[in-house]
Amino acid sequence: MKEGGLTYSQACRMYDVMCKVFEEAIITGSKATIGRVGAIVPYWRPPRDIQMHFRKKGKRVEKGVHRTFFMDGRFDFKFRLYRRFMETRQLKWLLDMPVGKEGS
């Protein structure tokens, strides 16, 4: 709050407005842009069949039991970082990712 020069009540109001923007974007299925950082983008997952070859009974798992479930189509959301943001910043969490390291 102090870095932005806001009082507590102004910061609370700003937070409420920000949350309402995200809620509205998710309700309408539209893209929500977050400044120069990135965007929350909706995408459609088509319906599909899911094959399961096991069944759980308590802590036991029975193998060889074939079941098919149908999953309806639905909207999901992904957070996309803008390329320009990634090129101009050093992302600390990206450096720690185990992708391509031996033993992982």
Side-chain angles (χ1 to χ4, degrees):
M1 289 183 310
K2 292 179 183 179
E3 297 88 21
L6 299 173
T7 65
Y8 179 76
S9 60
Q10 290 171 330
C12 289
R13 177 74 180 126
M14 182 184 276
Y15 175 77
D16 288 339
V17 169
M18 186 178 67
C19 288
K20 287 180 183 176
V21 167
F22 291 133
E23 289 171 4
E24 187 65 28
I26 289 170
I27 289 169
T28 59
S30 58
K31 176 177 156 181
T33 316
I34 303 170
R36 296 179 299 262
V37 177
I40 299 172
V41 182
Y43 69 99
W44 175 251
R45 284 188 182 234
R48 63 186 181 122
D49 291 334
I50 297 174
Q51 304 288 327
M52 296 182 71
H53 302 286
F54 67 92
R55 178 174 46 207
K56 284 182 133 183
K57 283 196 172 183
K59 292 185 178 183
R60 261 188 20 216
V61 176
E62 294 180 19
K63 294 183 180 178
V65 179
H66 299 282
R67 298 182 295 165
T68 302
F69 295 98
F70 182 74
M71 192 175 226
D72 288 337
R74 66 190 188 280
F75 275 103
D76 260 345
F77 294 86
K78 290 183 180 180
F79 181 74
R80 303 271 188 196
L81 281 172
Y82 290 143
R83 188 174 294 129
R84 176 94 175 141
F85 181 79
M86 290 192 306
E87 290 170 352
T88 58
R89 311 287 194 303
Q90 185 175 10
L91 304 177
K92 295 176 184 173
W93 57 268
L94 192 57
L95 297 174
D96 297 335
M97 291 191 82
V99 178
K101 293 183 180 176
E102 289 186 33
S104 57

